[in-house]
Amino acid sequence: MGLNIEEQKAVDRFRSAVVEPSMTGLVVLDFWAEWCGPCKALTPLLEKVCAEYAEKGVVLAKINVDEEPFIAGQFQVKSIPTVYALFQGQPVADLTNARSESQLKTMLDQLLEKLPIQPGGGSPAQDIAPLIAMGEDVLASGDGERAAGVFSQIVEIAPDSVPAHAGLIRALALAGQIEEARAVIAALDPAMAGDPALAQAKAALELAAHRPEDSELAVLRAAAAESPADMDKQFAWASAAFAAGDRDAAAETLLRMIAADREWNEGAARTKLLQIFEAIGLEDPWVSATRRKLSTVLFG
């Protein structure tokens, strides 16, 4: 997913030591270093309280920022000690300012009241909805590689989750990893095949599969700019722009085409725009806003 070997090893270590325990318990994650005096002062407090709360499902995990700079970077650690509480793979609270036993216990008690923690590491049906939402947020930001990393982790945790597989396919498509996305589809359980979320993911992959090289994309962009009345050139540019991840340019071009001649090529521009809506998802805010623009073009 765009990581080098050492970074992937760091992610694997983090998944084993932190993410997996956090699926059923509350992980107190302490970023520290040998040279950090305040870190050494905080360590006995964290160890004492987490040991007392172990039966309630609290686990202490420590990350040495000098040994794991990639993980510290992913959490944007600017100073140490930095302490987070993690549940089901994501931060749920910043505990850094809890420097006394009473402060730390108060914050942990508040979290334990709200979260479905399983003392003793039980294995209930895991609530991956927060992780799916996180992956969707990353996907919406346009970072396909990072979204693919998030969704691939969710798939490992919940291999029967259709939304996780669908998100992974869409993320890989956005990242231009077409063959990897097709491999995910090929390995799916046939029972998942008819799910609407997978239909959406396959539509996204189909559109992304036609992504041109950067040089070709520049040629198509220039041709469309030079010939604004040439519908074939506009359509080629719109299709390529979406495949390259520029959905705004694709939609704006297709809307102009529909406004100019909605019947061109048997309504090809409108059909393409509807395919884009399906690929992104009808509930997506961008799709909702663009559909309103389409309605304005069609009905005034």
Side-chain angles (χ1 to χ4, degrees):
M1 303 306 173
L3 305 181
N4 61 38
I5 293 176
E6 291 305 314
E7 290 170 343
Q8 185 60 58
K9 288 181 178 179
V11 169
D12 291 341
R13 288 192 295 269
F14 182 77
R15 179 181 297 134
S16 175
V18 179
V19 175
E20 291 178 3
S22 79
M23 298 316 297
T24 55
L26 184 67
V27 174
V28 174
L29 180 59
D30 176 28
F31 289 94
W32 69 289
E34 289 286 353
W35 47 264
C36 173
C39 298
K40 294 179 180 179
L42 183 61
T43 293
L45 169 64
L46 294 176
E47 291 177 344
K48 178 179 184 295
V49 173
C50 289
E52 292 178 6
Y53 276 64
E55 292 185 357
K56 299 180 180 181
V58 176
V59 178
L60 176 63
K62 300 177 68 63
I63 298 291
N64 186 320
V65 297
D66 291 331
E67 296 176 356
E68 300 286 10
F70 178 72
I71 298 300
Q74 295 303 299
F75 278 83
Q76 299 182 342
V77 174
K78 304 297 184 184
S79 62
I80 51 175
T82 292
V83 185
Y84 290 118
L86 273 73
F87 180 62
Q88 294 189 336
Q90 64 176 348
V92 292
D94 186 341
L95 306 179
T96 304
N97 292 325
R99 297 301 177 91
S100 71
E101 183 174 334
S102 62
Q103 289 175 332
L104 181 57
K105 287 183 175 181
T106 297
M107 296 185 73
L108 290 177
D109 288 338
Q110 291 173 347
L111 290 171
L112 292 171
E113 287 179 4
K114 299 176 183 177
L115 299 172
I117 304 298
Q118 297 296 315
S123 300
Q126 296 167 351
D127 180 12
I128 61 170
L131 299 179
I132 295 289
M134 179 173 64
E136 292 292 345
D137 287 343
V138 176
L139 193 56
S141 75
D143 191 339
E145 288 195 7
R146 184 170 165 234
V150 173
F151 280 114
S152 64
Q153 188 176 94
I154 302 172
V155 166
E156 287 189 19
I157 296 169
D160 296 329
S161 170
V162 172
H165 283 91
L168 178 57
I169 293 165
R170 289 187 291 120
L172 289 169
L174 179 61
Q177 299 179 33
I178 305 303
E179 293 308 314
E180 290 86 344
R182 287 175 173 158
V184 172
I185 292 175
L188 286 174
D189 184 331
M192 298 182 182
D195 193 283
L198 283 176
Q200 175 191 341
K202 291 175 182 178
L205 177 59
E206 180 62 27
L207 290 170
H210 301 291
R211 180 186 182 118
E213 297 292 334
D214 289 345
S215 57
E216 182 183 354
L217 187 66
V219 170
L220 292 171
R221 182 191 297 111
E226 292 171 2
S227 306
D230 189 319
M231 297 294 245
D232 288 303
K233 291 180 180 179
Q234 298 301 313
F235 190 77
W237 157 239
S239 300
F242 182 77
D246 192 347
R247 62 186 184 183
D248 289 331
E252 289 168 5
T253 301
L254 292 169
L255 287 169
R256 285 197 302 269
M257 293 176 66
I258 295 167
D261 184 359
R262 69 182 66 179
E263 301 303 327
W264 174 79
N265 196 16
E266 300 181 346
R270 182 171 179 269
T271 298
K272 175 64 73 173
L273 190 55
L274 294 178
Q275 288 175 344
I276 290 175
F277 290 166
E278 180 185 7
I280 296 173
L282 298 182
E283 302 303 319
D284 186 273
W286 181 89
V287 170
S288 298
T290 309
R291 288 177 71 181
R292 288 194 292 271
K293 293 179 182 179
L294 176 60
S295 296
T296 300
V297 170
L298 293 175
F299 308 113

Short mmCIF file of all heavy atoms in Angstrom, two decimals, residues 142 144 169-178 182 202-214 216-218 220-221 234-251 253-254 272-273 275-277 279-280 286:
data_model
loop_
_atom_site.label_atom_id
_atom_site.label_comp_id
_atom_site.label_asym_id
_atom_site.label_seq_id
_atom_site.Cartn_x
_atom_site.Cartn_y
_atom_site.Cartn_z
N GLY A 142 -9.55 11.73 -0.84
CA GLY A 142 -8.82 11.50 -2.09
C GLY A 142 -7.52 10.74 -1.94
O GLY A 142 -6.80 10.54 -2.92
N GLY A 144 -6.20 7.55 -1.85
CA GLY A 144 -6.54 6.16 -2.12
C GLY A 144 -5.62 5.17 -1.45
O GLY A 144 -6.07 4.15 -0.93
N ILE A 169 -11.89 -2.14 -2.40
CA ILE A 169 -11.92 -2.12 -3.87
C ILE A 169 -11.93 -0.69 -4.37
O ILE A 169 -11.17 -0.32 -5.29
CB ILE A 169 -13.14 -2.90 -4.40
CG1 ILE A 169 -13.00 -4.39 -4.07
CG2 ILE A 169 -13.29 -2.70 -5.90
CD1 ILE A 169 -14.28 -5.17 -4.23
N ARG A 170 -12.78 0.17 -3.78
CA ARG A 170 -12.85 1.56 -4.23
C ARG A 170 -11.56 2.31 -3.94
O ARG A 170 -11.12 3.14 -4.73
CB ARG A 170 -14.04 2.26 -3.56
CG ARG A 170 -15.38 1.77 -4.07
CD ARG A 170 -16.55 2.58 -3.52
NE ARG A 170 -16.75 2.34 -2.11
CZ ARG A 170 -16.69 3.27 -1.16
NH1 ARG A 170 -16.42 4.51 -1.48
NH2 ARG A 170 -16.90 2.96 0.11
N ALA A 171 -10.93 2.00 -2.78
CA ALA A 171 -9.68 2.66 -2.44
C ALA A 171 -8.56 2.26 -3.41
O ALA A 171 -7.79 3.11 -3.87
CB ALA A 171 -9.29 2.32 -1.00
N LEU A 172 -8.48 0.98 -3.71
CA LEU A 172 -7.46 0.51 -4.66
C LEU A 172 -7.70 1.12 -6.04
O LEU A 172 -6.75 1.48 -6.74
CB LEU A 172 -7.49 -1.02 -4.74
CG LEU A 172 -6.97 -1.75 -3.50
CD1 LEU A 172 -7.29 -3.25 -3.59
CD2 LEU A 172 -5.48 -1.55 -3.33
N ALA A 173 -8.97 1.23 -6.43
CA ALA A 173 -9.29 1.84 -7.72
C ALA A 173 -8.83 3.29 -7.75
O ALA A 173 -8.23 3.76 -8.73
CB ALA A 173 -10.79 1.75 -7.99
N LEU A 174 -9.10 4.02 -6.66
CA LEU A 174 -8.68 5.42 -6.59
C LEU A 174 -7.17 5.55 -6.63
O LEU A 174 -6.63 6.49 -7.21
CB LEU A 174 -9.24 6.05 -5.31
CG LEU A 174 -8.88 7.52 -5.06
CD1 LEU A 174 -9.41 8.40 -6.18
CD2 LEU A 174 -9.43 7.98 -3.72
N ALA A 175 -6.47 4.59 -6.02
CA ALA A 175 -5.01 4.62 -5.99
C ALA A 175 -4.39 4.15 -7.30
O ALA A 175 -3.17 4.14 -7.45
CB ALA A 175 -4.50 3.77 -4.84
N GLY A 176 -5.23 3.72 -8.25
CA GLY A 176 -4.72 3.24 -9.53
C GLY A 176 -4.21 1.82 -9.50
O GLY A 176 -3.58 1.35 -10.45
N GLN A 177 -4.52 1.09 -8.42
CA GLN A 177 -4.07 -0.30 -8.29
C GLN A 177 -5.18 -1.23 -8.79
O GLN A 177 -5.84 -1.93 -8.03
CB GLN A 177 -3.70 -0.59 -6.83
CG GLN A 177 -2.57 0.31 -6.33
CD GLN A 177 -2.21 0.05 -4.88
OE1 GLN A 177 -2.29 -1.07 -4.40
NE2 GLN A 177 -1.81 1.10 -4.17
N ILE A 178 -5.35 -1.20 -10.10
CA ILE A 178 -6.49 -1.86 -10.73
C ILE A 178 -6.42 -3.38 -10.58
O ILE A 178 -7.42 -4.03 -10.24
CB ILE A 178 -6.57 -1.48 -12.23
CG1 ILE A 178 -6.61 0.05 -12.38
CG2 ILE A 178 -7.79 -2.13 -12.86
CD1 ILE A 178 -7.74 0.73 -11.64
N ARG A 182 -9.03 -5.95 -8.71
CA ARG A 182 -9.66 -7.10 -9.38
C ARG A 182 -9.38 -8.40 -8.62
O ARG A 182 -10.22 -9.29 -8.57
CB ARG A 182 -9.16 -7.18 -10.82
CG ARG A 182 -9.74 -6.09 -11.72
CD ARG A 182 -9.15 -6.11 -13.10
NE ARG A 182 -9.84 -5.17 -13.98
CZ ARG A 182 -9.32 -4.65 -15.08
NH1 ARG A 182 -8.09 -5.00 -15.44
NH2 ARG A 182 -10.02 -3.81 -15.83
N LYS A 202 -17.59 -2.05 -7.84
CA LYS A 202 -17.24 -2.52 -9.18
C LYS A 202 -17.42 -1.42 -10.21
O LYS A 202 -16.64 -1.31 -11.17
CB LYS A 202 -18.10 -3.73 -9.54
CG LYS A 202 -17.76 -4.98 -8.72
CD LYS A 202 -18.71 -6.13 -9.02
CE LYS A 202 -18.41 -7.35 -8.18
NZ LYS A 202 -19.36 -8.46 -8.42
N ALA A 203 -18.44 -0.57 -10.02
CA ALA A 203 -18.64 0.55 -10.94
C ALA A 203 -17.48 1.53 -10.84
O ALA A 203 -17.00 2.04 -11.87
CB ALA A 203 -19.96 1.26 -10.61
N ALA A 204 -17.00 1.78 -9.63
CA ALA A 204 -15.85 2.66 -9.44
C ALA A 204 -14.62 2.09 -10.10
O ALA A 204 -13.83 2.80 -10.74
CB ALA A 204 -15.60 2.88 -7.95
N LEU A 205 -14.44 0.78 -9.97
CA LEU A 205 -13.28 0.13 -10.58
C LEU A 205 -13.35 0.19 -12.09
O LEU A 205 -12.33 0.45 -12.76
CB LEU A 205 -13.21 -1.33 -10.12
CG LEU A 205 -12.09 -2.18 -10.71
CD1 LEU A 205 -10.73 -1.59 -10.38
CD2 LEU A 205 -12.19 -3.62 -10.20
N GLU A 206 -14.54 -0.01 -12.65
CA GLU A 206 -14.70 0.02 -14.11
C GLU A 206 -14.32 1.39 -14.67
O GLU A 206 -13.65 1.50 -15.70
CB GLU A 206 -16.15 -0.31 -14.47
CG GLU A 206 -16.43 -0.31 -15.96
CD GLU A 206 -15.63 -1.36 -16.73
OE1 GLU A 206 -15.26 -2.39 -16.12
OE2 GLU A 206 -15.37 -1.13 -17.93
N LEU A 207 -14.73 2.45 -13.98
CA LEU A 207 -14.39 3.79 -14.44
C LEU A 207 -12.90 4.07 -14.28
O LEU A 207 -12.27 4.67 -15.15
CB LEU A 207 -15.21 4.83 -13.66
CG LEU A 207 -16.71 4.88 -13.98
CD1 LEU A 207 -17.43 5.77 -12.98
CD2 LEU A 207 -16.95 5.39 -15.40
N ALA A 208 -12.34 3.63 -13.16
CA ALA A 208 -10.92 3.90 -12.89
C ALA A 208 -10.00 3.08 -13.77
O ALA A 208 -8.84 3.44 -13.98
CB ALA A 208 -10.61 3.62 -11.42
N ALA A 209 -10.51 1.96 -14.31
CA ALA A 209 -9.68 1.08 -15.13
C ALA A 209 -9.19 1.75 -16.40
O ALA A 209 -8.23 1.31 -17.02
CB ALA A 209 -10.45 -0.20 -15.47
N HIS A 210 -9.85 2.82 -16.79
CA HIS A 210 -9.49 3.52 -18.03
C HIS A 210 -8.59 4.72 -17.76
O HIS A 210 -8.48 5.61 -18.61
CB HIS A 210 -10.75 3.95 -18.77
CG HIS A 210 -11.67 2.80 -19.11
ND1 HIS A 210 -11.34 1.84 -20.06
CD2 HIS A 210 -12.87 2.43 -18.62
CE1 HIS A 210 -12.31 0.95 -20.13
NE2 HIS A 210 -13.25 1.28 -19.27
N ARG A 211 -7.96 4.75 -16.61
CA ARG A 211 -7.09 5.86 -16.25
C ARG A 211 -5.93 5.96 -17.25
O ARG A 211 -5.19 5.00 -17.46
CB ARG A 211 -6.53 5.65 -14.84
CG ARG A 211 -5.60 6.77 -14.38
CD ARG A 211 -4.98 6.42 -13.04
NE ARG A 211 -4.13 7.50 -12.56
CZ ARG A 211 -4.33 8.18 -11.43
NH1 ARG A 211 -5.35 7.86 -10.67
NH2 ARG A 211 -3.52 9.14 -11.06
N PRO A 212 -5.75 7.12 -17.86
CA PRO A 212 -4.66 7.28 -18.84
C PRO A 212 -3.34 7.64 -18.17
O PRO A 212 -3.32 7.99 -16.98
CB PRO A 212 -5.16 8.46 -19.69
CG PRO A 212 -5.94 9.29 -18.73
CD PRO A 212 -6.58 8.32 -17.75
N GLU A 213 -2.27 7.55 -18.92
CA GLU A 213 -0.98 8.04 -18.44
C GLU A 213 -1.05 9.56 -18.31
O GLU A 213 -1.87 10.22 -18.94
CB GLU A 213 0.13 7.64 -19.41
CG GLU A 213 0.34 6.15 -19.55
CD GLU A 213 0.88 5.51 -18.28
OE1 GLU A 213 1.55 6.24 -17.51
OE2 GLU A 213 0.62 4.32 -18.05
N ASP A 214 -0.16 10.12 -17.49
CA ASP A 214 -0.17 11.57 -17.27
C ASP A 214 -0.01 12.34 -18.57
O ASP A 214 -0.65 13.39 -18.78
CB ASP A 214 0.93 11.96 -16.29
CG ASP A 214 0.63 11.51 -14.88
OD1 ASP A 214 -0.54 11.16 -14.60
OD2 ASP A 214 1.56 11.50 -14.04
N GLU A 216 -0.87 11.39 -21.59
CA GLU A 216 -2.11 11.30 -22.36
C GLU A 216 -3.19 12.19 -21.74
O GLU A 216 -3.97 12.84 -22.45
CB GLU A 216 -2.59 9.85 -22.41
CG GLU A 216 -3.85 9.66 -23.24
CD GLU A 216 -4.36 8.22 -23.21
OE1 GLU A 216 -3.66 7.36 -22.66
OE2 GLU A 216 -5.45 7.98 -23.76
N LEU A 217 -3.22 12.22 -20.42
CA LEU A 217 -4.20 13.06 -19.74
C LEU A 217 -3.99 14.53 -20.10
O LEU A 217 -4.97 15.27 -20.34
CB LEU A 217 -4.06 12.88 -18.23
CG LEU A 217 -5.11 13.56 -17.35
CD1 LEU A 217 -6.48 12.94 -17.57
CD2 LEU A 217 -4.72 13.44 -15.87
N ALA A 218 -2.74 14.97 -20.17
CA ALA A 218 -2.45 16.36 -20.53
C ALA A 218 -2.90 16.66 -21.95
O ALA A 218 -3.42 17.75 -22.24
CB ALA A 218 -0.94 16.62 -20.38
N LEU A 220 -5.37 15.16 -23.58
CA LEU A 220 -6.84 15.20 -23.59
C LEU A 220 -7.35 16.50 -22.98
O LEU A 220 -8.32 17.09 -23.48
CB LEU A 220 -7.40 14.01 -22.82
CG LEU A 220 -7.18 12.64 -23.46
CD1 LEU A 220 -7.58 11.53 -22.49
CD2 LEU A 220 -7.98 12.51 -24.76
N ARG A 221 -6.70 16.96 -21.92
CA ARG A 221 -7.10 18.22 -21.29
C ARG A 221 -6.90 19.39 -22.26
O ARG A 221 -7.79 20.24 -22.40
CB ARG A 221 -6.28 18.46 -20.02
CG ARG A 221 -6.68 19.74 -19.28
CD ARG A 221 -5.70 20.11 -18.18
NE ARG A 221 -5.65 19.11 -17.13
CZ ARG A 221 -4.62 18.31 -16.89
NH1 ARG A 221 -3.53 18.38 -17.67
NH2 ARG A 221 -4.65 17.45 -15.91
N GLN A 234 -14.61 16.66 -25.40
CA GLN A 234 -15.06 16.96 -24.04
C GLN A 234 -15.35 15.67 -23.28
O GLN A 234 -14.99 15.51 -22.11
CB GLN A 234 -16.32 17.84 -24.08
CG GLN A 234 -16.12 19.20 -24.72
CD GLN A 234 -15.06 20.03 -24.01
OE1 GLN A 234 -15.05 20.15 -22.79
NE2 GLN A 234 -14.15 20.60 -24.80
N PHE A 235 -16.01 14.73 -23.97
CA PHE A 235 -16.38 13.47 -23.32
C PHE A 235 -15.13 12.66 -22.98
O PHE A 235 -15.03 12.06 -21.90
CB PHE A 235 -17.28 12.66 -24.25
CG PHE A 235 -17.90 11.46 -23.59
CD1 PHE A 235 -18.98 11.60 -22.73
CD2 PHE A 235 -17.41 10.18 -23.83
CE1 PHE A 235 -19.55 10.50 -22.11
CE2 PHE A 235 -17.97 9.08 -23.22
CZ PHE A 235 -19.05 9.24 -22.35
N ALA A 236 -14.17 12.64 -23.89
CA ALA A 236 -12.92 11.91 -23.65
C ALA A 236 -12.18 12.49 -22.45
O ALA A 236 -11.65 11.76 -21.61
CB ALA A 236 -12.04 11.95 -24.89
N TRP A 237 -12.16 13.82 -22.37
CA TRP A 237 -11.49 14.47 -21.25
C TRP A 237 -12.22 14.19 -19.94
O TRP A 237 -11.59 13.88 -18.92
CB TRP A 237 -11.39 15.96 -21.50
CG TRP A 237 -11.22 16.80 -20.25
CD1 TRP A 237 -12.03 17.78 -19.81
CD2 TRP A 237 -10.15 16.70 -19.28
NE1 TRP A 237 -11.57 18.31 -18.63
CE2 TRP A 237 -10.41 17.67 -18.29
CE3 TRP A 237 -9.03 15.89 -19.17
CZ2 TRP A 237 -9.58 17.84 -17.19
CZ3 TRP A 237 -8.20 16.07 -18.07
CH2 TRP A 237 -8.47 17.03 -17.11
N ALA A 238 -13.54 14.27 -19.94
CA ALA A 238 -14.31 14.03 -18.72
C ALA A 238 -14.09 12.60 -18.21
O ALA A 238 -13.89 12.38 -17.01
CB ALA A 238 -15.80 14.27 -18.97
N SER A 239 -14.11 11.63 -19.11
CA SER A 239 -13.91 10.23 -18.72
C SER A 239 -12.52 10.03 -18.13
O SER A 239 -12.35 9.36 -17.11
CB SER A 239 -14.12 9.31 -19.92
OG SER A 239 -15.43 9.44 -20.45
N ALA A 240 -11.52 10.61 -18.79
CA ALA A 240 -10.15 10.47 -18.32
C ALA A 240 -9.93 11.19 -17.00
O ALA A 240 -9.22 10.70 -16.12
CB ALA A 240 -9.18 11.01 -19.37
N ALA A 241 -10.55 12.36 -16.85
CA ALA A 241 -10.38 13.14 -15.62
C ALA A 241 -10.91 12.37 -14.42
O ALA A 241 -10.27 12.31 -13.37
CB ALA A 241 -11.11 14.48 -15.75
N PHE A 242 -12.08 11.74 -14.56
CA PHE A 242 -12.62 10.98 -13.43
C PHE A 242 -11.74 9.76 -13.14
O PHE A 242 -11.46 9.46 -11.98
CB PHE A 242 -14.05 10.52 -13.69
CG PHE A 242 -14.62 9.78 -12.51
CD1 PHE A 242 -15.05 10.45 -11.39
CD2 PHE A 242 -14.68 8.39 -12.50
CE1 PHE A 242 -15.53 9.78 -10.27
CE2 PHE A 242 -15.16 7.70 -11.40
CZ PHE A 242 -15.59 8.40 -10.29
N ALA A 243 -11.30 9.07 -14.18
CA ALA A 243 -10.44 7.91 -13.98
C ALA A 243 -9.14 8.30 -13.28
O ALA A 243 -8.57 7.50 -12.53
CB ALA A 243 -10.13 7.25 -15.32
N ALA A 244 -8.71 9.55 -13.49
CA ALA A 244 -7.48 10.03 -12.86
C ALA A 244 -7.72 10.61 -11.47
O ALA A 244 -6.79 11.08 -10.82
CB ALA A 244 -6.82 11.08 -13.75
N GLY A 245 -8.98 10.60 -11.02
CA GLY A 245 -9.28 11.06 -9.67
C GLY A 245 -9.78 12.48 -9.58
O GLY A 245 -10.05 12.97 -8.47
N ASP A 246 -9.95 13.18 -10.72
CA ASP A 246 -10.42 14.57 -10.70
C ASP A 246 -11.92 14.59 -11.00
O ASP A 246 -12.35 14.90 -12.10
CB ASP A 246 -9.65 15.40 -11.72
CG ASP A 246 -9.88 16.90 -11.53
OD1 ASP A 246 -10.82 17.27 -10.79
OD2 ASP A 246 -9.13 17.69 -12.14
N ARG A 247 -12.72 14.26 -9.99
CA ARG A 247 -14.16 14.16 -10.22
C ARG A 247 -14.80 15.52 -10.46
O ARG A 247 -15.81 15.61 -11.15
CB ARG A 247 -14.82 13.44 -9.05
CG ARG A 247 -14.71 14.13 -7.70
CD ARG A 247 -15.29 13.24 -6.61
NE ARG A 247 -15.29 13.89 -5.30
CZ ARG A 247 -15.69 13.31 -4.18
NH1 ARG A 247 -16.11 12.05 -4.22
NH2 ARG A 247 -15.69 13.94 -3.03
N ASP A 248 -14.21 16.58 -9.88
CA ASP A 248 -14.77 17.91 -10.11
C ASP A 248 -14.68 18.31 -11.58
O ASP A 248 -15.66 18.78 -12.16
CB ASP A 248 -14.04 18.95 -9.25
CG ASP A 248 -14.38 18.81 -7.77
OD1 ASP A 248 -15.50 18.36 -7.47
OD2 ASP A 248 -13.54 19.16 -6.94
N ALA A 249 -13.51 18.10 -12.17
CA ALA A 249 -13.33 18.45 -13.58
C ALA A 249 -14.24 17.60 -14.47
O ALA A 249 -14.83 18.09 -15.43
CB ALA A 249 -11.87 18.26 -13.99
N ALA A 250 -14.35 16.32 -14.12
CA ALA A 250 -15.22 15.42 -14.90
C ALA A 250 -16.67 15.89 -14.85
O ALA A 250 -17.35 15.99 -15.88
CB ALA A 250 -15.10 14.00 -14.37
N ALA A 251 -17.16 16.19 -13.64
CA ALA A 251 -18.56 16.59 -13.49
C ALA A 251 -18.84 17.93 -14.17
O ALA A 251 -19.87 18.10 -14.84
CB ALA A 251 -18.92 16.67 -12.01
N THR A 253 -17.34 19.25 -16.70
CA THR A 253 -17.34 19.07 -18.15
C THR A 253 -18.63 18.41 -18.62
O THR A 253 -19.25 18.84 -19.60
CB THR A 253 -16.13 18.22 -18.57
OG1 THR A 253 -14.93 18.87 -18.16
CG2 THR A 253 -16.09 18.05 -20.09
N LEU A 254 -19.05 17.37 -17.93
CA LEU A 254 -20.27 16.66 -18.32
C LEU A 254 -21.51 17.53 -18.15
O LEU A 254 -22.42 17.49 -18.99
CB LEU A 254 -20.40 15.37 -17.49
CG LEU A 254 -19.34 14.30 -17.78
CD1 LEU A 254 -19.40 13.20 -16.73
CD2 LEU A 254 -19.53 13.71 -19.18
N LYS A 272 -22.92 8.98 -18.35
CA LYS A 272 -21.60 8.92 -17.70
C LYS A 272 -21.65 9.56 -16.32
O LYS A 272 -21.07 9.03 -15.36
CB LYS A 272 -20.57 9.63 -18.58
CG LYS A 272 -19.18 9.75 -17.96
CD LYS A 272 -18.53 8.40 -17.74
CE LYS A 272 -18.08 7.78 -19.04
NZ LYS A 272 -17.28 6.54 -18.82
N LEU A 273 -22.36 10.68 -16.20
CA LEU A 273 -22.44 11.35 -14.90
C LEU A 273 -23.17 10.48 -13.89
O LEU A 273 -22.77 10.39 -12.72
CB LEU A 273 -23.15 12.69 -15.05
CG LEU A 273 -23.12 13.64 -13.84
CD1 LEU A 273 -21.69 13.90 -13.40
CD2 LEU A 273 -23.82 14.95 -14.17
N GLN A 275 -23.21 7.24 -13.91
CA GLN A 275 -22.26 6.17 -13.57
C GLN A 275 -21.29 6.65 -12.49
O GLN A 275 -20.93 5.90 -11.57
CB GLN A 275 -21.49 5.73 -14.81
CG GLN A 275 -22.32 4.92 -15.80
CD GLN A 275 -21.52 4.61 -17.07
OE1 GLN A 275 -20.49 5.22 -17.33
NE2 GLN A 275 -22.02 3.67 -17.85
N ILE A 276 -20.87 7.90 -12.60
CA ILE A 276 -19.97 8.47 -11.60
C ILE A 276 -20.68 8.56 -10.25
O ILE A 276 -20.10 8.23 -9.20
CB ILE A 276 -19.48 9.86 -12.06
CG1 ILE A 276 -18.51 9.70 -13.24
CG2 ILE A 276 -18.82 10.62 -10.91
CD1 ILE A 276 -18.08 11.02 -13.86
N PHE A 277 -21.93 8.98 -10.27
CA PHE A 277 -22.71 9.03 -9.02
C PHE A 277 -22.76 7.65 -8.36
O PHE A 277 -22.57 7.52 -7.16
CB PHE A 277 -24.14 9.50 -9.30
CG PHE A 277 -24.24 10.95 -9.70
CD1 PHE A 277 -25.43 11.44 -10.25
CD2 PHE A 277 -23.19 11.83 -9.54
CE1 PHE A 277 -25.55 12.77 -10.62
CE2 PHE A 277 -23.29 13.17 -9.91
CZ PHE A 277 -24.47 13.63 -10.45
N ALA A 279 -20.72 5.15 -8.77
CA ALA A 279 -19.39 4.71 -8.34
C ALA A 279 -18.99 5.35 -7.02
O ALA A 279 -18.36 4.72 -6.16
CB ALA A 279 -18.35 5.04 -9.41
N ILE A 280 -19.36 6.60 -6.82
CA ILE A 280 -18.99 7.30 -5.59
C ILE A 280 -19.94 6.96 -4.45
O ILE A 280 -19.53 6.82 -3.30
CB ILE A 280 -18.96 8.83 -5.84
CG1 ILE A 280 -17.85 9.16 -6.85
CG2 ILE A 280 -18.73 9.59 -4.54
CD1 ILE A 280 -17.83 10.60 -7.28
N TRP A 286 -20.77 15.05 -1.98
CA TRP A 286 -20.39 15.58 -3.30
C TRP A 286 -21.41 15.17 -4.35
O TRP A 286 -21.79 15.97 -5.21
CB TRP A 286 -19.00 15.08 -3.69
CG TRP A 286 -18.51 15.58 -5.01
CD1 TRP A 286 -17.81 16.73 -5.25
CD2 TRP A 286 -18.71 14.97 -6.29
NE1 TRP A 286 -17.55 16.86 -6.60
CE2 TRP A 286 -18.08 15.80 -7.26
CE3 TRP A 286 -19.33 13.80 -6.72
CZ2 TRP A 286 -18.09 15.49 -8.61
CZ3 TRP A 286 -19.34 13.50 -8.08
CH2 TRP A 286 -18.71 14.33 -9.01
#
